[in-house]
Amino acid sequence: MTTLKIVHRTGYSYVGGATASFNEARMTPRSSHEQQVVHSRLDVSPVPWLSTYTDYWGTTVTAFELFERHESLQVVATSTVDVRREPIGPGGHSWADLDDPALRDRLCESLRITPLVAVPTDLDTLLRQLRARSDTPYDYACAVVRLVHDEVDYVFGATGVHSRAAQAWVQRSGVCQDMAHLVIGALRLVGVPARYVSGYLMPQRDAELGRGYAGESHAWVQFWDGDWVGVDPTNDQLPGELHVEVAAGRDYRDVPPIRGIFTGSGTSDMFVWVEMTRIA
């Protein structure tokens, strides 16, 4: 088991100031059989009215509102998480199992090809050939992850949060969000339920105890093989004890760490800072 402390600071500076703002934060890790949240706290400055709820996808959401003039908004999420995530092998599901109407109905939202995950025509053709050569959905998923990892270079800043998977494939570069979207689109294309996962990844595999490392939000994928199986296409690996899960959904639009609107005469600039520390 690995114990990680995450400090995630984000927010906005408002050019000209904001007279009011309304936001949602998805920055609280979730507890599951693979990870247990020991401590979690979310601080907002200026101090707003706020409430917390669990959304449709099982993610903890903190909603908050400010009705006073403010020049900036800062959100700091501090969490300590015990992670015991063992690799999950093939679940044994066949292609015929995925054709079960009851399963497709239950997981229909993880089969919908949204604009963010739709793949371009040339990749569509390649994927259908790959499907024909794959004995099981698990084999296909592993092959897709390798394909995306080998063909798309990780280039920080190559795309933005609103970029689509097709763009990353055409330019053969992107960030973890793009690679996750590409894999999800490839899986759903042939009927494999898949969902987008957001969270954190400790950047240093052999991290010193008690030393903080600059990190960032990370994205990976879970697909259905009798249970949700995680795959990290950016690193071509299964998520392990250095991955901390925060949220899951159809694509990035269901899981942004912070999202909101404001009233005022100017524009806003966003800032993000993440630090991860291994404490056990």
Side-chain angles (χ1 to χ4, degrees):
M1 182 178 69
T2 300
T3 302
L4 298 170
K5 177 182 178 182
I6 305 105
V7 180
H8 183 171
R9 180 179 290 113
T10 189
Y12 304 95
S13 58
Y14 300 105
V15 179
T19 55
S21 61
F22 311 83
N23 296 273
E24 289 182 343
R26 289 170 170 81
M27 299 165 63
T28 302
R30 60 172 67 191
S31 287
S32 68
H33 66 281
E34 297 182 323
Q35 62 180 47
Q36 183 64 43
V37 177
V38 178
H39 165 80
S40 184
R41 175 175 175 173
L42 191 139
D43 298 299
V44 183
S45 178
V47 178
W49 171 91
L50 59 81
S51 65
T52 301
Y53 68 95
T54 301
D55 72 8
Y56 178 81
W57 310 105
T59 303
T60 298
V61 183
T62 301
F64 51 94
E65 303 176 355
L66 280 165
F67 294 100
E68 60 186 52
R69 182 176 178 81
H70 47 291
E71 306 301 319
S72 63
L73 174 72
Q74 178 172 268
V75 182
V76 182
T78 305
S79 305
T80 301
V81 185
D82 289 337
V83 186
R84 190 191 299 272
R85 182 174 286 110
E86 298 180 358
I88 300 176
H93 261 43
S94 67
W95 291 109
D97 291 328
L98 294 185
D99 287 334
D100 178 24
L103 176 67
R104 296 182 65 83
D105 181 65
R106 179 162 62 89
L107 300 179
C108 62
E109 287 163 321
S110 296
L111 287 165
R112 179 171 173 257
I113 299 179
T114 64
L116 283 181
V117 307
V119 300
T121 303
D122 64 322
L123 180 55
D124 182 307
T125 301
L126 182 60
L127 292 170
R128 294 188 186 279
Q129 295 171 353
L130 193 60
R131 158 66 178 87
R133 298 195 301 267
S134 299
D135 293 334
T136 67
Y138 186 93
D139 292 338
Y140 174 79
C142 292
V144 166
V145 169
R146 286 192 297 271
L147 174 67
V148 171
H149 178 266
D150 291 345
E151 292 290 332
V152 181
D153 293 328
Y154 180 90
V155 179
F156 181 78
T159 56
V161 295
H162 301 296
S163 298
R164 300 185 178 190
Q167 176 185 340
W169 178 258
V170 170
Q171 65 190 31
R172 292 300 197 275
S173 64
V175 294
C176 57
Q177 172 182 311
D178 303 301
M179 297 185 194
H181 280 154
L182 277 169
V183 170
I184 290 170
L187 292 171
R188 293 178 183 172
L189 177 71
V190 299
V192 180
R195 62 189 188 184
Y196 185 101
V197 182
S198 70
Y200 308 100
L201 172 62
M202 165 60 81
Q204 192 70 27
R205 291 181 181 272
D206 55 349
E208 298 177 26
L209 291 177
R211 177 182 172 183
Y213 294 86
E216 59 186 27
S217 296
H218 191 55
W220 60 97
V221 177
Q222 292 175 347
F223 68 94
W224 185 258
D225 190 34
D227 197 354
W228 289 110
V229 179
V231 286
D232 182 348
T234 303
N235 298 290
D236 191 18
Q237 66 181 46
L238 301 179
E241 293 190 352
L242 300 182
H243 289 73
V244 176
E245 182 179 341
V246 173
R250 292 163 296 186
D251 54 35
Y252 175 80
R253 290 176 299 182
D254 289 330
V255 302
I258 186 169
R259 174 169 56 198
I261 58 173
F262 73 97
T263 58
S265 59
T267 59
S268 64
D269 295 315
M270 187 178 186
F271 59 88
V272 180
W273 177 87
V274 177
E275 182 181 77
M276 299 186 70
T277 307
R278 183 181 176 185
I279 59 178

mmCIF file of all heavy atoms in Angstrom, residues 20 32 49 63 83 94 218 241-242:
data_model
loop_
_atom_site.group_PDB
_atom_site.id
_atom_site.type_symbol
_atom_site.label_atom_id
_atom_site.label_comp_id
_atom_site.label_asym_id
_atom_site.label_seq_id
_atom_site.Cartn_x
_atom_site.Cartn_y
_atom_site.Cartn_z
ATOM 1 N N ALA A 20 -19.675 38.640 -9.206
ATOM 2 C CA ALA A 20 -20.256 37.419 -8.667
ATOM 3 C C ALA A 20 -19.678 36.253 -9.465
ATOM 4 O O ALA A 20 -19.293 36.408 -10.628
ATOM 5 C CB ALA A 20 -21.775 37.430 -8.773
ATOM 6 N N SER A 32 -12.788 3.746 -2.654
ATOM 7 C CA SER A 32 -13.214 2.521 -3.314
ATOM 8 C C SER A 32 -12.433 1.373 -2.710
ATOM 9 O O SER A 32 -11.666 1.550 -1.759
ATOM 10 C CB SER A 32 -12.954 2.615 -4.827
ATOM 11 O OG SER A 32 -11.560 2.630 -5.089
ATOM 12 N N TRP A 49 -20.530 30.867 -0.063
ATOM 13 C CA TRP A 49 -21.560 29.911 0.321
ATOM 14 C C TRP A 49 -21.272 28.650 -0.486
ATOM 15 O O TRP A 49 -20.987 28.718 -1.679
ATOM 16 C CB TRP A 49 -22.938 30.453 -0.052
ATOM 17 C CG TRP A 49 -24.028 29.427 0.129
ATOM 18 C CD1 TRP A 49 -24.773 29.206 1.226
ATOM 19 C CD2 TRP A 49 -24.472 28.462 -0.851
ATOM 20 N NE1 TRP A 49 -25.653 28.180 1.015
ATOM 21 C CE2 TRP A 49 -25.497 27.696 -0.240
ATOM 22 C CE3 TRP A 49 -24.095 28.177 -2.146
ATOM 23 C CZ2 TRP A 49 -26.146 26.671 -0.925
ATOM 24 C CZ3 TRP A 49 -24.745 27.149 -2.830
ATOM 25 C CH2 TRP A 49 -25.754 26.417 -2.216
ATOM 26 N N ALA A 63 -20.076 22.727 -4.765
ATOM 27 C CA ALA A 63 -20.620 23.864 -5.497
ATOM 28 C C ALA A 63 -20.557 25.094 -4.601
ATOM 29 O O ALA A 63 -20.860 25.009 -3.406
ATOM 30 C CB ALA A 63 -22.066 23.581 -5.915
ATOM 31 N N VAL A 83 -3.531 3.975 -1.163
ATOM 32 C CA VAL A 83 -3.797 3.317 -2.449
ATOM 33 C C VAL A 83 -3.259 1.896 -2.413
ATOM 34 O O VAL A 83 -2.088 1.664 -2.119
ATOM 35 C CB VAL A 83 -3.148 4.090 -3.615
ATOM 36 C CG1 VAL A 83 -3.560 3.462 -4.946
ATOM 37 C CG2 VAL A 83 -3.529 5.564 -3.581
ATOM 38 N N SER A 94 -16.421 -12.252 -23.450
ATOM 39 C CA SER A 94 -16.284 -12.460 -24.890
ATOM 40 C C SER A 94 -17.002 -11.347 -25.637
ATOM 41 O O SER A 94 -17.740 -10.551 -25.056
ATOM 42 C CB SER A 94 -16.888 -13.812 -25.275
ATOM 43 O OG SER A 94 -18.299 -13.784 -25.070
ATOM 44 N N HIS A 218 -4.133 14.050 -14.099
ATOM 45 C CA HIS A 218 -3.848 12.999 -15.059
ATOM 46 C C HIS A 218 -5.163 12.365 -15.505
ATOM 47 O O HIS A 218 -6.190 12.480 -14.813
ATOM 48 C CB HIS A 218 -2.942 11.942 -14.429
ATOM 49 C CG HIS A 218 -2.382 10.961 -15.406
ATOM 50 N ND1 HIS A 218 -1.673 11.346 -16.527
ATOM 51 C CD2 HIS A 218 -2.438 9.591 -15.448
ATOM 52 C CE1 HIS A 218 -1.304 10.278 -17.206
ATOM 53 N NE2 HIS A 218 -1.757 9.196 -16.583
ATOM 54 N N GLU A 241 -0.337 1.910 -7.777
ATOM 55 C CA GLU A 241 -0.451 2.579 -6.487
ATOM 56 C C GLU A 241 -0.002 4.034 -6.519
ATOM 57 O O GLU A 241 -0.090 4.728 -5.501
ATOM 58 C CB GLU A 241 0.319 1.801 -5.429
ATOM 59 C CG GLU A 241 -0.292 0.438 -5.143
ATOM 60 C CD GLU A 241 0.314 -0.258 -3.939
ATOM 61 O OE1 GLU A 241 1.328 0.241 -3.407
ATOM 62 O OE2 GLU A 241 -0.224 -1.299 -3.535
ATOM 63 N N LEU A 242 0.486 4.500 -7.665
ATOM 64 C CA LEU A 242 0.844 5.912 -7.800
ATOM 65 C C LEU A 242 -0.263 6.712 -8.485
ATOM 66 O O LEU A 242 -0.140 7.911 -8.667
ATOM 67 C CB LEU A 242 2.160 6.057 -8.579
ATOM 68 C CG LEU A 242 3.384 5.383 -7.952
ATOM 69 C CD1 LEU A 242 4.626 5.653 -8.789
ATOM 70 C CD2 LEU A 242 3.591 5.854 -6.511
#
